[in-house]
Amino acid sequence: MKLRYLNLALLFVLLFSFSSFAKESAKDEWISVRSKNFFLIGDAKEKDIIKVATKLEQFREVFKQLFPGTKFDSAIQTNVIVFKDSKSYKPFKPKNAKGEADKWIAGYFQSGEDVNYITLSTDGKLEDTYGTIFHEYVHYLLNTNFGETEVPPWFNEGLAEYYQTFSIEDDQKVTLGGLQDGHLYLLQKSQLIPLKDFFTVNNYSLHQNGNHSRSVFYAQAWALIHYLIQGNGGVNSESLNNFLKLVINDVEPEKAFKQAFNTDYEAMEKELRKYAKQRTFKTTLATFKNKLVFDTEISVVPLSEADANAYLGDLLYHTHELDDAANYLQKSLDLNADQSLANTAFGLVKMRQGKFNEAKRYLEKAVAADQNNHLIHYKYAYILSREDLDEFGYISRFPDEKAEAMRKSLLKAIQINPQFTRSYGLLAFINLVNGEKLDESAALLKKSLSIKPGDQDALLQLAQIYLRQENFKEAESVAEKLIKSASEESVRKSSENLLNSIKQIEEQKARIEKSRSEYENSRTEARNTDNYEPPKLIQRDSLSKEELEKIEREEKIYGINRMLKTPNEGEARILGYIQKIACANGEVIYTVKTKNGNVMLQSKDFQSLDLMASTEVAEDKMVGCNAQLQDVHSIVTYRKETNPKTKTEGIVLGINFVPDFFEFKTAEQIAAKKTVVIVDEDMEQMRKDTMMQGIRDALRKPQAGELRGIGIAESIECGRKDITFNVSIGNKKLKLKADSPQDVLIGGFTPEMEQVRLGCGAKFPPIKAVITYRPDDKKADEGKAVSLEFVPSSFEFR
């Protein structure tokens, strides 16, 4: 069951997984092991934990050889939890579709904005245990040091697939590029994606492809990297490094490919096809001169039960198992009320549950216990920033006192660890919300991006600041880049909204400039007259809907009158409805109904007519024989010329379609008309209306045979063959079935989503939801669940 949380204001993307209650605590003997780049804890034997630390350090060191000169530094710590066996590991494994621990998972890598977690047990097969960990760790290293928006998906996925088979013997003999039978089978049974298409796949489109297409992409990415490194003599690591540098510097991908690898797409495609069809593949074998050992950099100390429970609870918080996390964190605090990690993580759990007062108390205890931990200061400011969000996840302004408290915490976090980029981003966000220190905020985000290139959240925020500074060109450039490269739907959608906002603001500025110019011209013309009066300014929020509509109609009427050309001598114009256009004997006869009766006019053809439309109603209307124009208000201009034979009064020169409320104004009336300028638009309501419409547009559209309504999801029940969502729509209670959780789209557009837990027996908080289902023809209270999308409390369909 895939969760989709699209927050249109703050761009917080949350993933949830199925959960069960954990009943145990860390009562076994736990130790901590610190190596150069990893912090490990575990209840496994000391030698086994050290072996894990060594293997991870070896992998990291070997991967670095591909990019000489790159430091691969990160301010985000990677914690590794090593369990002694599968039984102790089970409560912390990711859950499968039924909310049960996935027994097939031997190890995994969980990335986070503040800390990463690697988990594994020591009784699994090495290839099963480490393959996924190595794969995801490659992604983390590339994304952190080069940027997810910068590294092409084929390169990112291909390297991860290539390196995940890493193995080492005697701490010296390394094997890379091991065969992956599944990829080979797929490539030999499927047609390769043409390289021109393959290289244009971006992070977003990759995840929109079907399972088969995505599998072919991964297999082809693996094969291409395998060929570049080992096929036909292979290329050196410098070529791969050069390619990455070229695309990061915005060199067109095809040109970068040719320049780095000394070949073009067409030639490479032929070679790759042959390579994928062959039956034997080489692996890379390398023997290091010196053994890759790290004994002198590894330290071991005992870990208290309180500390062990704190780390286990923090892991569960980061895997979104909030109930289980609270269980372990409470056990930690029962043993040591001042345990800073437990207080911090428990505060975040309470925040996700919407209990902000409790959340702040836990964080305040954490700050008091550990003044020198940048994460505690950052997370305290983060909780404060989330406290006053509205139903859209939006805040118009932080109170000065709260803004100052957040800035103080974030500046402290930056002072302690200037490499942790989230502190810069949140500080810039506070300034953006309050419309203060925008230049400083742009500098903060650029600093953040220099540490973590391609950070999508930082880029989007920078684009928003550029927009606020009216630096439209830079804002457009960043937004367009994110639309092409963003892996998350929320980031891509927000970037599209940003581009639309830029367009609207530019159009509005053009209108204002035009009005100002016209006003200045009118001032110049009227400067020496006694009857000149300045425009009348009216506050928009002081007008009723009817008053506003009246003013807009009046401005439209006078605007059209000003555009009309004064009839020449011998010409006239009338206002009415064209009842009939008859074509006969080479003549076109018009019957125009006016308030004074019908007027008959004629023309030789239609090509010579000057046609205009000053109303949207007429945009799709055609003027021709027997045209149906009875419902369109029209200004008809004609040359006076009586024809007794056709009984017409003139020759039609032009037709201008106008709104029904249009009326002619005299030159005196137009001259006397006082200009009205509506000022101080209700921007808050406009914002809400825009965001609400954005939600309506983003909701899944019902397909044939589906119904949807606004209601409340109550609970989930799991049976042997299916699962049931108990929901209510109005006064109607429904039991909606699903064969598999993957069949149901679950997502949302409100920060209240943070309170949602999914899983067998889960009970939902009373959050409004748009529920889509296929009704059961036989049972009125049952159906097939299609989607469940949580929305703000004021949401309604139009």
Side-chain angles (χ1 to χ4, degrees):
M1 184 179 294
K2 183 178 181 182
L3 276 169
R4 177 169 58 91
Y5 172 27
L6 177 58
N7 185 312
L8 299 176
L10 294 182
L11 314 170
F12 287 97
V13 180
L14 302 169
L15 298 175
F16 297 87
S17 60
F18 287 87
S19 175
S20 62
F21 286 92
K23 299 297 183 184
E24 300 177 3
S25 63
K27 293 181 180 178
D28 296 311
E29 279 194 26
W30 285 70
I31 62 171
S32 67
V33 175
R34 188 175 293 279
S35 65
K36 183 178 179 180
N37 296 288
F38 301 93
F39 176 73
L40 301 90
I41 69 167
D43 61 353
K45 295 178 181 178
E46 179 180 320
K47 66 175 184 178
D48 290 335
I49 299 176
I50 291 175
K51 192 180 295 184
V52 172
T54 300
K55 193 174 187 68
L56 292 172
E57 291 288 1
Q58 288 170 337
F59 176 81
R60 192 178 191 280
E61 186 63 30
V62 170
F63 183 77
K64 282 180 61 179
Q65 304 298 317
L66 186 65
F67 302 98
T70 303
K71 294 182 178 179
F72 287 107
D73 289 336
S74 173
I76 297 177
Q77 178 171 291
T78 298
N79 293 338
V80 185
I81 303 184
V82 185
F83 297 96
K84 62 182 179 181
D85 53 37
S86 296
K87 181 181 178 181
S88 63
Y89 185 22
K90 184 178 178 180
F92 305 94
K93 285 187 175 184
K95 306 300 188 289
N96 61 22
K98 292 186 177 181
E100 301 169 346
D102 194 330
K103 64 181 180 180
W104 301 109
I105 290 179
Y108 69 90
F109 179 96
Q110 173 75 34
S111 63
E113 68 170 24
D114 54 351
V115 65
N116 304 318
Y117 274 100
I118 292 173
T119 66
L120 68 157
S121 68
T122 57
D123 62 354
K125 294 180 180 179
L126 289 181
E127 60 272 20
D128 294 334
T129 300
Y130 286 98
T132 301
I133 292 171
F134 290 155
H135 181 105
E136 296 302 326
Y137 191 57
V138 167
H139 285 325
Y140 169 70
L141 290 174
L142 288 175
N143 295 343
T144 300
N145 292 276
F146 298 107
E148 186 178 7
T149 58
E150 308 292 346
V151 182
W154 71 266
F155 191 92
N156 205 329
E157 293 296 343
L159 272 183
E161 292 286 332
Y162 182 84
Y163 269 87
Q164 78 175 41
T165 60
F166 165 88
S167 65
I168 187 169
E169 294 181 21
D170 302 326
D171 296 326
Q172 202 167 8
K173 299 173 184 178
V174 173
T175 302
L176 291 171
L179 295 187
Q180 299 204 39
D181 294 335
H183 287 340
L184 286 176
Y185 177 81
L186 191 60
L187 291 173
Q188 291 172 358
K189 296 294 182 181
S190 306
Q191 191 169 357
L192 290 184
I193 304 169
L195 287 190
K196 274 192 172 293
D197 298 330
F198 180 74
F199 288 132
T200 59
V201 173
N202 57 38
N203 289 310
Y204 176 74
S205 61
L206 173 61
H207 292 94
Q208 298 305 303
N209 289 332
N211 290 335
H212 178 75
S213 298
R214 194 160 57 246
S215 297
V216 172
F217 180 90
Y218 289 139
Q220 188 166 327
W222 167 80
L224 180 55
I225 289 293
H226 205 286
Y227 175 81
L228 289 173
I229 294 176
Q230 297 177 180
N232 196 27
V235 300
N236 56 37
S237 61
E238 186 178 352
S239 297
L240 291 168
N241 209 356
N242 286 341
F243 172 76
L244 196 53
K245 288 179 180 178
L246 288 168
V247 294
I248 287 174
N249 289 317
D250 293 326
V251 175
E252 193 271 325
E254 188 168 0
K255 183 178 179 181
F257 189 90
K258 186 173 184 179
Q259 188 173 331
F261 302 122
N262 198 29
T263 187
D264 57 24
Y265 285 176
E266 185 177 358
M268 177 56 69
E269 193 166 326
K270 291 178 182 178
E271 291 296 322
L272 185 59
R273 290 183 190 281
K274 289 192 296 183
Y275 194 70
K277 299 298 180 184
Q278 67 184 5
R279 295 184 177 274
T280 59
F281 284 78
K282 296 179 181 179
T283 56
T284 295
L285 300 174
T287 301
F288 283 80
K289 183 178 180 180
N290 300 313
K291 287 192 174 187
L292 297 176
V293 292
F294 305 89
D295 293 349
T296 59
E297 299 174 328
I298 291 178
S299 61
V300 181
V301 297
L303 195 70
S304 71
E305 185 181 345
D307 290 348
N309 278 307
Y311 281 107
L312 293 173
D314 190 54
L315 166 67
L316 290 165
Y317 164 76
H318 281 85
T319 56
H320 313 293
E321 304 290 347
L322 300 186
D323 292 333
D324 294 358
N327 182 47
Y328 280 92
L329 295 170
Q330 186 60 60
K331 290 179 183 297
S332 173
L333 293 175
D334 288 344
L335 294 165
N336 179 3
D338 294 326
Q339 216 291 336
S340 60
L341 176 60
N343 277 304
T344 301
F346 219 158
L348 294 171
V349 168
K350 294 297 183 182
M351 181 199 72
R352 296 275 185 252
Q353 295 171 339
K355 301 173 182 178
F356 283 95
N357 287 333
E358 292 182 54
K360 286 187 291 185
R361 284 199 295 271
Y362 279 110
L363 261 296
E364 286 163 359
K365 287 184 67 177
V367 170
D370 189 353
Q371 282 285 327
N372 295 315
N373 188 324
H374 68 283
L375 285 178
I376 297 175
H377 293 287
Y378 164 75
K379 289 177 180 178
Y380 180 63
Y382 177 66
I383 285 177
L384 292 180
S385 74
R386 302 280 291 164
E387 186 176 16
D388 300 319
L389 302 184
D390 69 8
E391 59 183 343
F392 298 97
Y394 175 87
I395 184 168
S396 59
R397 182 176 177 84
F398 291 113
D400 292 341
E401 185 176 346
K402 178 172 285 189
E404 190 56 36
M406 289 188 287
R407 289 191 180 105
K408 182 179 178 181
S409 290
L410 292 168
L411 290 173
K412 181 69 173 178
I414 292 171
Q415 179 186 0
I416 297 170
N417 188 347
Q419 297 300 108
F420 183 67
T421 59
R422 291 293 172 183
S423 298
Y424 297 105
L426 185 52
L427 186 54
F429 175 73
I430 295 164
N431 294 338
L432 177 63
V433 169
N434 283 13
E436 302 168 345
K437 305 178 182 179
L438 296 182
D439 290 340
E440 175 187 308
S441 298
L444 287 168
L445 292 168
K446 289 176 182 177
K447 170 71 173 176
S448 173
L449 289 165
S450 72
I451 298 169
K452 188 180 178 184
D455 185 329
Q456 294 181 6
D457 290 339
L459 284 169
L460 181 58
Q461 209 173 331
L462 184 59
Q464 291 168 331
I465 287 176
Y466 283 146
L467 174 60
R468 184 72 68 87
Q469 293 174 320
E470 298 189 5
N471 187 346
F472 299 131
K473 184 177 180 181
E474 291 294 336
E476 285 177 354
S477 176
V478 176
E480 287 169 353
K481 185 174 186 177
L482 282 171
I483 289 171
K484 294 177 182 177
S485 60
S487 56
E488 296 291 347
E489 165 70 6
S490 61
V491 176
R492 190 184 68 86
K493 190 71 178 178
S494 295
S495 301
E496 290 177 347
N497 291 339
L498 188 70
L499 281 181
N500 291 334
S501 296
I502 293 170
K503 182 179 178 181
Q504 291 171 8
I505 291 172
E506 288 181 323
E507 290 175 350
Q508 185 181 41
K509 284 175 67 68
R511 288 196 300 270
I512 292 172
E513 184 59 34
K514 180 181 178 183
S515 298
R516 190 171 65 121
S517 176
E518 291 175 350
Y519 169 60
E520 291 297 331
N521 290 338
S522 67
R523 283 188 61 191
T524 301
E525 294 172 2
R527 189 170 294 154
N528 297 321
T529 65
D530 295 331
N531 60 356
Y532 168 72
E533 291 185 42
K536 182 179 180 181
L537 305 180
I538 302 179
Q539 293 282 119
R540 181 178 295 273
D541 57 10
S542 69
L543 299 171
S544 66
K545 181 179 178 181
E546 292 74 19
E547 290 171 330
L548 183 60
E549 289 175 349
K550 181 180 178 181
I551 291 173
E552 289 175 344
R553 282 198 304 271
E554 198 168 79
E555 291 301 310
K556 183 80 171 176
I557 290 169
Y558 276 92
I560 295 173
N561 273 280
R562 292 189 186 101
M563 288 192 309
L564 294 176
K565 296 179 181 178
T566 303
N568 295 322
E569 187 176 351
E571 295 178 356
R573 61 187 177 203
I574 54 175
L575 180 63
Y577 295 88
I578 299 174
Q579 299 296 301
K580 184 177 180 182
I581 300 179
C583 303
N585 303 320
E587 298 288 349
V588 182
I589 307 299
Y590 304 80
T591 303
V592 184
K593 181 181 179 181
T594 73
K595 63 181 181 180
N596 297 320
N598 288 348
V599 177
M600 303 287 288
L601 303 169
Q602 72 177 78
S603 70
K604 289 291 185 184
D605 52 40
F606 299 105
Q607 288 74 19
S608 60
L609 300 183
D610 182 12
L611 301 176
M612 291 185 63
S614 298
T615 174
E616 295 178 357
V617 175
E619 286 183 352
D620 60 347
K621 295 292 185 180
M622 301 293 291
V623 177
C625 300
N626 301 313
Q628 301 297 309
L629 301 173
Q630 301 95 320
D631 59 340
V632 186
H633 214 191
S634 305
I635 299 171
V636 182
T637 303
Y638 63 97
R639 185 175 65 252
K640 297 176 182 178
E641 188 175 306
T642 303
N643 186 331
K645 181 179 177 182
T646 57
K647 299 180 181 180
T648 56
E649 300 180 28
I651 307 298
V652 176
L653 302 174
I655 301 173
N656 185 357
F657 300 113
V658 294
D660 283 343
F661 54 77
F662 177 80
E663 58 187 29
F664 287 129
K665 298 295 181 181
T666 65
E668 290 76 17
Q669 287 175 314
I670 294 173
K673 173 68 171 66
K674 192 170 185 177
T675 303
V676 175
V677 177
I678 307 295
V679 297
D680 192 24
E681 294 182 341
D682 187 353
M683 298 302 293
E684 180 66 13
Q685 188 59 48
M686 288 177 64
R687 176 191 67 78
K688 289 182 178 179
D689 291 344
T690 299
M691 294 177 75
M692 196 67 81
Q693 188 56 49
I695 293 174
R696 294 187 186 100
D697 294 340
L699 286 168
R700 182 188 179 279
K701 303 300 183 289
Q703 306 299 309
E706 296 177 356
L707 298 177
R708 77 173 177 181
I710 299 175
I712 299 291
E714 296 173 354
S715 63
I716 298 177
E717 297 175 2
C718 295
R720 291 183 178 181
K721 296 183 179 180
D722 55 24
I723 62 174
T724 301
F725 291 86
N726 296 307
V727 305
S728 59
I729 300 177
N731 295 323
K732 186 176 183 181
K733 290 189 176 292
L734 297 171
K735 292 182 176 293
L736 303 180
K737 307 287 185 179
D739 297 330
S740 166
Q742 282 79 11
D743 296 337
V744 183
L745 171 66
I746 295 187
F749 308 86
T750 169
E752 289 184 298
M753 275 287 290
E754 294 176 350
Q755 303 173 38
V756 173
R757 182 183 71 83
L758 300 178
C760 297
K763 295 187 182 300
F764 293 104
I767 305 173
K768 185 182 284 191
V770 174
I771 302 164
T772 304
Y773 65 101
R774 294 187 187 91
D776 190 311
D777 294 334
K778 298 179 180 179
K779 298 181 179 180
D781 63 343
E782 291 191 9
K784 198 82 169 178
V786 175
S787 65
L788 183 64
E789 298 171 282
F790 296 97
V791 292
S793 58
S794 64
F795 178 87
E796 58 184 30
F797 291 123
R798 281 187 174 177

